[in-house]
Amino acid sequence: MDGLTTIKVGFIGIGNMGWPMAMNIFNAGYNLTVFDLDSVRSESFAVETGANSAASLADLADMDFVITMLPNGHVVREVLLETEDGAFIKNVKAECVVIDMSSAEPTGTVALGEELVKHSVILIDAPVSGGVARAELGSLAIMIGANDHDILERAKPLLRCMGEQLFETGSVGSGHATKALNNLIAATSFVATSEALLTAKRFGLDLNTFIDVVNVSTGHTFMSDKVMKDHVIDEKFSTGFALGLLVKDVGIANELCDAVGMNAPLSKLVHKRWQEALDVKGFSADNTEAIQVWDGKD
Ligand code: NAD
């Protein structure tokens, strides 16, 4: 633990996911400095934990690692390269390793990596799966894209504070591609399970019994097991994953299908269904609230 206090880690984006992930890094003993556009969040985090709070991106200049956990790849690029004063990129020390754990567009990630390396900054993409619950437990699945094996090995102890399963998916951008395609599957599964559930309701089936059957039968998925009872049937709608972020992921996956010439009509339809829900509910609604739109209630 003592050795870790000399390793400086900056964490940008203390949101639903970033907060518990940064908490696990701090608890492991790293010298942590957090930054969020919403300074109330970063200051509250610092007060609660004892970590440092950065007043500006320039305060992250001498970090060994900088982790980004931001809404999308455009925001990551803006924060690192395109702020008006260049606060991060003009001041960052050479050999800093940036780990982008956001869910982002793989082609944008490849381009970002190429630009950062001109400033002697190394980019790794390491998006996550498991949601807020597993972020809190430090048991996320992490998909890692890296061009340099030695630097990846250097980053692994830090990643292990946040995740139990670390997958090396290939070069920079491959983590983000893997993540988008995983979320395409999850989003498709939620639409399918919702349509079945709404049909079950209209037929007069008991919904708890219906999901119990699905969960020990061939329709069983993460959505039926972890989401339908806890968030949909009970109408809690509190997964902590914003509808707008999920629609972003399905959009990224569809762009990827197009980019490689994959004919994926179901994926297009799934994107359309989620977009309909987004148009009604708005970006910040919980993603599970989409079922209310498909039910025709909203
Ligand atoms: P969130 O909206 O709760 O958090 C994002 C944070 O980034 C906010 O605190 C916001 O103030 C901050 N931010 C925005 N713009 C900024 C800027 N320019 N500079 C500094 N800070 C800025 O989102 P989240 O749910 O924590 O998701 C973060 C990322 O993780 C997204 O890419 C999302 O797709 C992905 N993700 C989310 C989940 C989930 O279950 N919530 C699961 C896996 C992956």
Side-chain angles (χ1 to χ4, degrees):
M1 177 142 170
D2 283 351
L4 294 183
T5 58
T6 61
I7 302 177
K8 292 184 176 178
V9 179
F11 200 112
I12 308 176
I14 306 296
N16 289 334
M17 292 292 286
W19 185 295
M21 289 163 70
M23 184 76 89
N24 286 328
I25 291 171
F26 182 76
N27 288 340
Y30 286 93
N31 183 337
L32 178 69
T33 303
V34 299
F35 178 81
D36 197 289
L37 193 59
D38 177 355
S39 57
V40 174
R41 277 193 82 79
S42 38
E43 280 158 22
S44 311
F45 183 91
V47 168
E48 196 172 305
T49 60
N52 311 302
S53 166
S56 128
L57 288 164
D59 294 342
L60 301 179
D62 68 337
M63 298 289 134
D64 300 299
F65 295 94
V66 169
I67 294 176
T68 45
M69 193 56 178
L70 292 163
N72 59 53
H74 303 292
V75 178
V76 173
R77 185 183 175 85
E78 188 187 305
V79 164
L80 298 176
L81 285 176
E82 294 174 351
T83 53
E84 248 173 52
D85 55 1
F88 178 75
I89 202 64
K90 279 189 186 159
N91 297 298
V92 65
K93 76 170 183 187
E95 305 304 324
C96 172
V97 177
V98 171
I99 308 177
D100 182 23
M101 303 192 75
S102 329
S103 305
E105 309 73 15
T107 49
T109 304
V110 172
L112 180 63
E114 287 167 357
E115 287 187 52
L116 286 176
V117 91
K118 292 179 197 159
H119 300 268
S120 302
V121 173
I122 310 300
L123 179 67
I124 291 175
D125 54 317
V128 303
S129 188
V132 174
R134 278 171 61 190
E136 285 169 352
L137 293 170
S139 66
L140 292 164
I142 307 183
M143 302 144 232
I144 314 165
N147 292 342
D148 184 316
H149 181 260
D150 291 344
I151 288 172
L152 170 58
E153 289 303 314
R154 228 198 296 157
K156 272 187 184 170
L158 180 57
L159 293 170
R160 282 202 193 94
C161 303
M162 297 173 275
E164 258 169 18
Q165 291 145 310
L166 272 51
F167 294 94
E168 294 174 34
T169 51
S171 57
V172 166
S174 64
H176 282 152
T178 306
K179 169 65 184 171
L181 293 171
N182 171 75
N183 278 25
L184 172 64
I185 296 169
T188 304
S189 157
F190 187 79
V191 176
T193 314
S194 295
E195 290 183 1
L197 192 82
L198 293 170
T199 306
K201 187 171 84 172
R202 284 170 200 207
F203 191 71
L205 300 183
D206 177 75
L207 296 186
N208 280 297
T209 307
F210 174 71
I211 288 297
D212 286 343
V213 173
V214 170
N215 280 338
V216 292
S217 304
T218 48
H220 169 250
T221 62
F222 174 84
M223 290 302 168
S224 67
D225 189 16
K226 304 280 185 226
V227 177
M228 283 300 163
K229 272 207 176 175
D230 293 349
H231 297 284
V232 174
I233 296 177
D234 286 356
E235 300 193 334
K236 287 200 191 104
F237 303 118
S238 60
T239 63
F241 186 26
L243 176 57
L245 291 177
L246 182 58
V247 178
K248 169 204 65 171
D249 291 341
V250 179
I252 293 171
N254 267 287
E255 281 166 22
L256 195 55
C257 294
D258 291 343
V260 299
M262 176 64 207
N263 180 29
L266 176 60
S267 305
K268 297 272 181 303
L269 181 58
V270 167
H271 188 239
K272 181 171 169 284
R273 293 291 273 154
W274 281 101
Q275 184 63 49
E276 286 163 8
L278 181 65
D279 291 345
V280 175
K281 290 284 188 180
F283 191 97
S284 303
D286 194 82
N287 73 89
T288 52
E289 290 179 57
I291 194 170
Q292 295 177 320
V293 177
W294 303 329
D295 194 16
K297 279 186 175 169
D298 283 296

